[in-house]
Amino acid sequence: MKLGIDLGGTKIEGVVLSASGIVLAKERVATPQSYPAIIDAITDLVGRLEATAGGRASVGVGGPGAESALTGRMKNSNTQCINGEALRDDLSIQLGRHVRFSNDANCFALSEAVDGAGAAYSSVFGVILGTGTGGGLVFNKQVLSGANGIAGEWGHTPMPNMTEGRPCYCGRKDCIETYLCGAGLVHSYRNATGEALSAPEIVKRATAGDTQAAAVLDNYCRQLASALAVVINIVDPDAIVLGGGLSNIAMLYETVPQYWRNYVFSDQCVTKLLPAKYGDSSGVRGAAWLWG
């Protein structure tokens, strides 16, 4: 059995999968606000899941940020209480077995590449468009972590052709995340109209024919297309799979590929843009699949 843990900012989800990917046990709990409490919550959750599934399992953990190649400690996490902590080592000690860790976007991409929307393709770039914006690269069902442990950290590269100066939690400005996450879409709408609406409200107005909302959403598609074109020009993946709340915007899958033709350095672009098969459960499934 393979047990996956998805450590999020508001919830921790766990799942136990059979060798064929059948869900044997599943549970969610609220994420505590301190590092020691997070370790205890994951330890307790693993115990309950194994009791339900009826056996001991390998454990993979997905979460925000990455492990430093120098120290093995966490870095770049927007769940800031885990930064500087030896998350994987501490969990291995608590659970009495080796634990594997990968970035949550990597786990999302792995899940969709193994048996999700990208299962038919050898190279998959997985994108999370939600509270934040992340990316993960999978080749032949294996996550590419990179020399610095940051492969796929697409959300923290500069948004092409934008110099608005939007601040990012990482300390830089105009990161892709600041335009393409949910708050980024809200910010763009407020800049254009002076009105504060949630991302779902903006999409609802756009689909109902509101011209201002439609223009903002169209510009979001152009920004997403130009940002993804950078990935296509460098990696040239077979498929790009979208997850996160904004991935539910239906027009993305037709409009974005039309726009990225303007930016991709090729006479054609056959890369597929696909919605995730497993939705918000992809991350936790991918954590389980870290053990193959």
Side-chain angles (χ1 to χ4, degrees):
M1 296 188 299
K2 304 174 192 303
L3 192 155
I5 296 290
D6 182 19
L7 171 59
T10 59
K11 55 89 177 171
I12 301 171
E13 183 174 5
V15 69
V16 180
L17 301 180
S18 70
S20 61
I22 297 171
V23 175
L24 304 176
K26 190 173 183 178
E27 185 180 341
R28 288 184 178 185
V29 297
T31 302
Q33 298 306 301
S34 72
Y35 178 71
I38 286 174
I39 295 296
D40 289 342
I42 292 175
T43 302
D44 292 344
L45 181 57
V46 169
R48 292 195 300 273
L49 288 167
E50 288 185 327
T52 300
R56 188 176 172 91
S58 60
V59 178
V61 177
E67 288 183 326
S68 167
L70 290 175
T71 66
R73 294 177 178 271
M74 295 299 299
K75 63 179 181 179
N76 300 344
S77 175
N78 54 9
T79 301
Q80 296 189 19
C81 69
I82 71 173
N83 284 327
E85 302 288 355
L87 177 66
R88 178 170 53 84
D89 288 345
D90 289 342
L91 285 172
S92 295
I93 291 168
Q94 285 283 91
L95 295 171
R97 74 199 82 167
H98 180 63
V99 171
R100 291 183 179 176
F101 174 87
S102 193
N103 176 267
D104 49 7
N106 289 346
C107 291
F108 166 79
L110 181 60
S111 170
E112 292 298 325
V114 169
D115 64 350
Y121 304 98
S122 61
S123 57
V124 175
F125 184 61
V127 172
I128 296 176
L129 301 172
T131 305
T133 300
L137 283 166
V138 176
F139 293 93
N140 297 321
K141 318 300 184 189
Q142 298 291 318
V143 171
L144 177 66
S145 296
N148 302 294
I150 57 169
E153 281 290 2
W154 165 77
H156 293 283
T157 54
M159 170 61 77
N161 304 314
M162 295 302 296
T163 56
E164 188 178 305
R166 293 192 187 186
C168 184
Y169 81 89
C170 74
R172 299 176 177 87
K173 293 182 179 180
D174 289 323
C175 287
I176 284 171
E177 177 168 304
T178 66
Y179 292 88
L180 298 184
C181 72
L185 176 59
V186 168
H187 191 146
S188 295
Y189 185 83
R190 187 169 60 246
N191 283 355
T193 68
E195 187 178 6
L197 289 181
S198 70
E201 289 171 331
I202 295 167
V203 175
K204 183 177 180 180
R205 284 196 182 186
T207 54
D210 183 288
T211 55
Q212 286 185 310
V216 170
L217 195 55
D218 183 71
N219 188 56
Y220 179 89
C221 289
R222 290 180 184 274
Q223 291 174 332
L224 179 57
S226 66
L228 289 176
V230 174
V231 177
I232 296 171
N233 284 339
I234 296 171
V235 180
D236 203 11
D238 296 322
I240 296 173
V241 181
L242 303 184
L246 296 181
S247 72
N248 295 316
I249 302 174
M251 69 177 288
L252 297 183
Y253 301 96
E254 179 178 354
T255 305
V256 171
Q258 291 176 358
Y259 285 149
W260 73 28
R261 296 171 187 165
N262 299 321
Y263 311 107
V264 172
F265 189 60
S266 177
D267 60 350
Q268 65 171 352
C269 184
V270 298
T271 300
K272 304 296 184 184
L273 184 66
L274 305 168
K277 177 179 179 178
Y278 291 112
D280 65 359
S281 291
S282 257
V284 71
R285 290 179 66 92
W289 288 126
L290 289 173
W291 284 92

